[in-house]
Amino acid sequence: MKKHIIISTSLDLVRIAPEHIIYISSDGNYSTLIQTDGETRMVSFQLGEIADMIESQLGSEGNMFARIGRSLIINLSYVYYINIPKQKLILSDADRFSHTVTASKEALKQVKEFLEKEVK
Amino acid sequence: MKDEKDIRDDEIRIIGNTPPEHSSPKDRKVWTMVAVAGVAVALIAILCWVILCRDNELSSDEHLEFEPYVESVASEQEKLQKISREVDPQTRGFCEIRDTMINDIALRIYIPHDAKLLLHVGCMDKEDTTVIYTAQAADVRADNGGIVGAFVLAGEPKAWGLSKTGYCASINGKVTIGVAENSPLFEQATE
């Protein structure tokens, strides 16, 4: 059975396949999941806690996700465009969705270098 | 995984990229058992030392004097420094605002006088002059408008769950604020 990420509180539970998460953004003590089906889901966990859940539940398969600074976790599979001077990162499947996020130049540079290593 | 405080905005971290463990599961089990045994031995040694020390104290010829224990609830309250100003009891309720610094951090403290703490769900009426101070009592979910955490209004639970360890309660006129892993206030508020 394919692994899913499960985010559970005493009130509710979110169970989602990792490839359906485009990115997760931080909002203080909460995090918002942006999904490939267009839904957004707010969960009452900090971004660091979400990152820990991904790591503990997916293990090495969690490396499809990267924490970018303090406020973003992105699905590296959907990195479409990086522009360092404009601090722009577009996450897209080049079909149904496209999301633009902002990150620091240094962080984007590291993402770019990481992805460039994939093809070397 | 380091917590949020340790990651900077110009840093990235690939999740799940922890280095593989070299030891076999069997080796790890053995070392775990050794560590647990070591901790147990250390605890027993400390316990024995404490008991021996206590025995030595009791067998000493020194005359021990014990001061009588006095309930000091009032003195505890006196130790709390009052920061609000003195107010005539006849004065109509109002909210005092005090700006101060604690450890070089500027704080604005709102101190209601002659007021009662009430919970309210929904938007407040800005024209209501009986209200002297309002503050957000709970987080509201942006996706479905539900209340995050446990919330009781006039003895009736409106939301359940535990999102944070902080709490605030007004039960029969007594206001309690604190932080605790487990608090009986939810049950008390619904009795």
Side-chain angles (χ1 to χ4, degrees):
Chain A
M1 195 176 181
K2 205 168 54 170
K3 272 187 179 174
H4 284 68
I5 295 170
I6 293 176
I7 301 168
S8 172
T9 67
S10 57
L11 276 177
D12 56 17
L13 178 144
V14 175
R15 180 174 173 274
I16 184 167
E19 62 269 20
H20 291 161
I21 299 175
I22 306 169
Y23 71 94
I24 309 167
S25 65
S26 164
D27 186 13
N29 283 332
Y30 301 91
S31 301
T32 305
L33 275 62
I34 312 299
Q35 299 167 197
T36 52
D37 59 357
E39 290 277 322
T40 61
R41 172 77 48 190
M42 179 174 275
V43 291
S44 55
F45 290 99
Q46 292 182 346
L47 204 66
E49 292 170 306
I50 303 282
D52 289 341
M53 282 179 207
I54 294 173
E55 181 156 22
S56 65
Q57 292 177 27
L58 299 184
S60 57
E61 289 173 26
N63 61 10
M64 69 193 294
F65 292 99
R67 176 95 184 257
I68 311 292
R70 297 161 67 93
S71 55
L72 265 186
I73 292 174
I74 63 167
N75 188 331
L76 290 164
S77 314
Y78 295 124
V79 172
Y80 168 71
Y81 176 72
I82 298 175
N83 187 311
I84 296 171
K86 291 184 183 173
Q87 293 181 248
K88 193 193 231 183
L89 169 65
I90 299 180
L91 299 160
S92 168
D93 65 346
D95 182 15
R96 292 168 298 141
F97 65 81
S98 177
H99 295 270
T100 303
V101 295
T102 309
S104 71
K105 290 179 188 174
E106 180 57 37
L108 289 179
K109 193 173 159 201
Q110 292 176 43
V111 174
K112 183 169 171 288
E113 284 168 4
F114 177 79
L115 293 172
E116 281 165 353
K117 280 184 200 162
E118 274 186 351
V119 294
K120 283 184 182 165
Chain B
M1 187 96 186
K2 287 188 200 174
D3 62 25
E4 192 173 10
K5 290 178 199 163
D6 294 330
I7 187 166
R8 299 186 313 271
D9 274 327
D10 59 354
E11 195 182 331
I12 74 164
R13 215 170 272 164
I14 308 299
I15 296 173
N17 247 13
T18 48
E21 294 201 31
H22 295 294
S23 58
S24 68
K26 198 176 173 185
D27 286 343
R28 267 184 270 133
K29 216 174 180 179
V30 169
W31 280 113
T32 308
M33 284 168 56
V34 168
V36 167
V39 167
V41 166
L43 281 173
I44 291 168
I46 291 168
L47 200 63
C48 290
W49 180 75
V50 167
I51 292 169
L52 281 171
C53 282
R54 203 178 283 174
D55 284 347
N56 286 339
E57 281 176 16
L58 288 175
S59 66
S60 141
D61 287 333
E62 274 185 25
H63 176 61
L64 298 171
E65 290 186 359
F66 293 91
E67 291 181 7
Y69 175 74
V70 175
E71 282 279 336
S72 58
V73 172
S75 60
E76 280 293 324
Q77 287 176 344
E78 283 166 25
K79 282 180 198 171
L80 296 171
Q81 190 185 0
K82 207 173 175 184
I83 57 170
S84 62
R85 65 174 202 232
E86 290 301 322
V87 172
D88 184 350
Q90 304 298 323
T91 309
R92 192 167 157 252
F94 69 99
C95 189
E96 177 187 349
I97 301 174
R98 187 166 281 259
D99 288 323
T100 184
M101 293 268 277
I102 296 177
N103 292 337
D104 296 330
I105 296 171
L107 284 179
R108 171 160 285 186
I109 302 174
Y110 295 85
I111 308 168
H113 289 271
D114 191 30
K116 190 178 171 184
L117 173 66
L118 293 172
L119 283 178
H120 177 87
V121 174
C123 295
M124 295 295 303
D125 178 8
K126 289 181 187 173
E127 308 301 321
D128 187 351
T129 56
T130 62
V131 176
I132 61 167
Y133 178 73
T134 61
Q136 186 173 341
D139 293 320
V140 176
R141 291 171 63 143
D143 51 357
N144 63 8
I147 298 172
V148 180
F151 196 93
V152 175
L153 180 66
E156 193 187 324
K158 296 288 184 187
W160 291 260
L162 185 68
S163 61
K164 300 169 196 169
T165 53
Y167 60 80
C168 175
S170 174
I171 301 172
N172 297 325
K174 183 181 171 189
V175 178
T176 314
I177 299 174
V179 177
E181 288 295 333
N182 292 300
S183 165
L185 286 173
F186 185 88
E187 287 74 26
Q188 286 176 20
T190 54
E191 280 170 4

